[in-house]
Amino acid sequence: MTFHLPSNKFIRVCTSSIVIAAALTAAGTAQAEETFKLGVVTFLSGPAAESFGVPAANAAKLMVEQFNKGNAPAPYNKPGFGGMKIEMVLVDENGGGIKQVQELRNLYQRENVDAVIGYISSGDCLAVAPVAEELKKFLNLFDCGSPRIFEESSFKYVFRSASHAAMDNVSLALYLKAHNVKVETMNLINQDYAWGQDSRSDFVASMGLLYPKANIGADLLPKFGAGQYGTEVSVLSGKPASITYSSLWGGDLQSFLLQGSARGLFKDTTLALSAADHVLPGLLNKVPDGTILGARGAYGILSAKSPLNDWFQAGYLSANKVLPVQASYRMTQGFMGVKLAVESAMAKNGGKKPTPEQIADAMRNSSFDSPGGKIAMSLSGGQQAVQGTAIGRTKYDAVAKVVRAVDVQTFSPECVNPPNNMKSIDWIKAGFPGAKCQ
């Protein structure tokens, strides 16, 4: 997939980031005289862009267009944000945490955005969240998965409108057990930063409960963005395992799958991938049939049919000629949560543009429907979302030339997310107390 700068309505470029201003259809209400300036941050370049960041950016553009036209289904059908035309400033997340801290300050202090939706990398989320809090500006983290962001710090102005990674790993382990996958030995390969380390810990702890006799063979932590996995493939090949678990994503996952397949690594092991749907459109039959994977939610090929999902998929497919994947879904639900929060706060503010504090008060403990199901801001004092998810196996359809999901199992939010005010790893090690699984 190639990223294209929008052709006619997004025109402004800044020195250190790609900045795109939308001049979109007037909303037609009294409030439409005013705009809502929204910063959006996602990977537009680098190895995380093609399968992750650009699909998220494409979803953001679609939501701005549809919201400004008032074309979204109820309750998202009021033009813009409460009649205020949305002006999007799109920033590239590539470059690391130090750069992103400066970029976020620029968004708030130079671009004067009213709110920011952004960030895929857990490292970037950990870096920027304290900045938004310091400046008392509204920030919705739409993606990054590390539980540590809200479990080790408390925020008033910072939210995450998607579940954290504990859900992905608990559901993956439950799926293996429910589908009688034999696991005597497991190999692990995860990126050496917050996302990879936390995912590894949650999966190993979950497997320790469900497969107490399983042994760990290779346990590898290559750096984020490594790209080359020759050494890792050699190590994994030398330690045959029932399953090979990974939370790799983006270009790292693509490279690992291609390089591992070329050397026959996956012939005698079952791949168990916590966040892998986004590489399927690009890799197709290069992903071994029978790979067990999640999408960090009931997204993409694992999503359930609903009027909202049908509307989103049709609009995204029409605009981008490919079905949406996980990052697209999470960006969309981030927009939907913020839109309802702004409009709720606006109603309480006499129809005037709400302050960051008023938006935060409206977002906290809210719930809303999304194309991937119900989202409830119910953890960490109402700052962190929970949602349901799904896990399935891959099956390449040679006629349609797409990868489909088979043997899909869904998991309710109450089954795979910890209760409020309990750290994920403590909940897992305690045996999932309070979990309600069908």
Side-chain angles (χ1 to χ4, degrees):
M1 184 184 301
T2 301
F3 174 67
H4 299 284
L5 283 174
S7 57
N8 54 351
K9 295 179 180 177
F10 300 88
I11 55 175
R12 191 155 45 91
V13 178
C14 286
T15 54
S16 60
S17 63
I18 299 173
V19 178
I20 302 169
L24 296 168
T25 308
T29 67
Q31 292 88 348
E33 298 300 323
E34 196 169 17
T35 62
F36 191 96
K37 201 168 183 180
L38 181 66
V40 174
V41 187
T42 181
F43 285 101
L44 303 177
S45 64
E50 180 183 359
S51 60
F52 226 97
V54 171
N58 288 339
K61 295 171 198 168
L62 179 66
M63 289 305 106
V64 171
E65 177 186 334
Q66 294 296 305
F67 286 168
N68 277 342
K69 291 179 178 177
N71 284 349
Y76 305 104
N77 53 344
K78 183 176 290 186
F81 282 174
M84 296 181 291
K85 184 171 61 181
I86 305 167
E87 180 184 353
M88 181 170 68
V89 181
L90 185 59
V91 175
D92 189 356
E93 190 179 340
N94 197 22
I98 294 175
K99 179 183 178 186
Q100 290 311 312
V101 165
Q102 186 58 50
E103 294 283 15
L104 185 65
R105 289 188 182 276
N106 289 341
L107 278 172
Y108 289 132
Q109 296 176 325
R110 294 185 182 179
E111 293 292 333
N112 293 314
V113 300
D114 297 297
V116 172
I117 299 175
Y119 305 103
I120 290 171
S121 164
S122 291
D124 291 340
C125 284
L126 287 164
V128 301
V131 177
E133 195 71 9
E134 171 200 330
L135 299 176
K136 297 183 178 181
K137 298 292 187 180
F138 184 89
L139 170 62
N140 182 30
L141 307 172
F142 81 95
D143 193 291
C144 51
S146 174
R148 290 159 49 190
I149 295 165
F150 292 97
E151 292 184 349
E152 296 181 355
S153 302
S154 61
F155 300 100
K156 180 178 179 180
Y157 297 89
V158 182
F159 296 81
R160 176 163 51 196
S161 55
S163 280
H164 54 54
M167 175 186 78
D168 314 327
N169 296 290
V170 171
S171 59
L172 186 56
L174 289 173
Y175 183 94
L176 293 170
K177 193 67 176 179
H179 291 259
N180 299 313
V181 178
K182 187 177 181 181
V183 182
E184 295 179 343
T185 307
M186 51 186 177
N187 283 340
L188 315 171
I189 177 168
N190 300 280
Q191 291 146 324
D192 190 16
Y193 79 113
W195 159 260
Q197 295 164 1
D198 294 345
S199 295
R200 177 202 172 279
S201 297
D202 290 345
F203 183 74
V204 169
S206 299
M207 292 296 285
L209 289 171
L210 300 171
Y211 290 90
K213 296 182 179 179
N215 298 310
I216 295 176
D219 187 1
L220 307 178
L221 288 166
K223 68 178 182 180
F224 174 69
Q228 296 298 319
Y229 295 94
T231 300
E232 286 79 6
V233 170
S234 295
V235 172
L236 294 171
S237 298
K239 292 181 177 293
S242 311
I243 66 168
T244 297
Y245 163 81
S246 182
S247 63
L248 292 179
W249 60 278
D252 282 347
L253 179 57
Q254 289 175 306
S255 298
F256 174 66
L257 290 175
L258 289 171
Q259 294 166 30
S261 293
R263 294 176 57 179
L265 175 62
F266 309 126
K267 289 182 177 178
D268 299 316
T269 187
T270 297
L271 274 170
L273 308 174
S274 66
D277 76 306
H278 58 293
V279 302
L280 299 179
L283 295 186
L284 297 176
N285 60 347
K286 295 182 177 62
V287 177
D289 275 353
T291 294
I292 298 171
L293 58 77
R296 303 209 59 234
Y299 300 143
I301 62 171
L302 300 173
S303 65
K305 186 175 178 59
S306 72
L308 199 54
N309 194 26
D310 291 347
W311 168 80
F312 172 58
Q313 287 198 349
Y316 191 95
L317 180 62
S318 175
N320 302 290
K321 313 307 176 190
V322 64
L323 285 170
V325 291
Q326 57 174 286
S328 315
Y329 275 83
R330 279 198 294 281
M331 179 65 84
T332 296
Q333 74 190 39
F335 262 77
M336 289 178 166
V338 172
K339 175 178 171 62
L340 294 187
V342 170
E343 292 175 352
S344 175
M346 199 171 173
K348 295 178 180 177
N349 196 37
K352 299 178 182 177
K353 180 187 286 187
T355 65
E357 185 169 11
Q358 290 170 326
I359 300 171
D361 288 343
M363 186 81 172
R364 191 172 302 113
N365 293 308
S366 64
S367 63
F368 54 94
D369 291 320
S370 79
K374 176 75 77 177
I375 309 299
M377 304 296 298
S378 61
L379 292 187
S380 303
Q383 309 291 117
Q384 164 68 55
V386 298
Q387 63 188 95
T389 192
I391 303 290
R393 287 182 181 268
T394 60
K395 177 67 175 176
Y396 180 63
D397 183 336
V399 176
K401 296 183 178 178
V402 296
V403 179
R404 303 195 188 280
V406 298
D407 298 333
V408 176
Q409 181 177 356
T410 60
F411 299 88
S412 68
E414 298 78 16
C415 178
V416 291
N417 289 279
N420 193 26
N421 296 324
M422 189 171 188
K423 286 188 174 181
S424 302
I425 193 64
D426 295 338
W427 176 66
I428 295 170
K429 288 181 177 178
F432 315 124
K436 299 176 181 177
C437 302
Q438 295 180 344

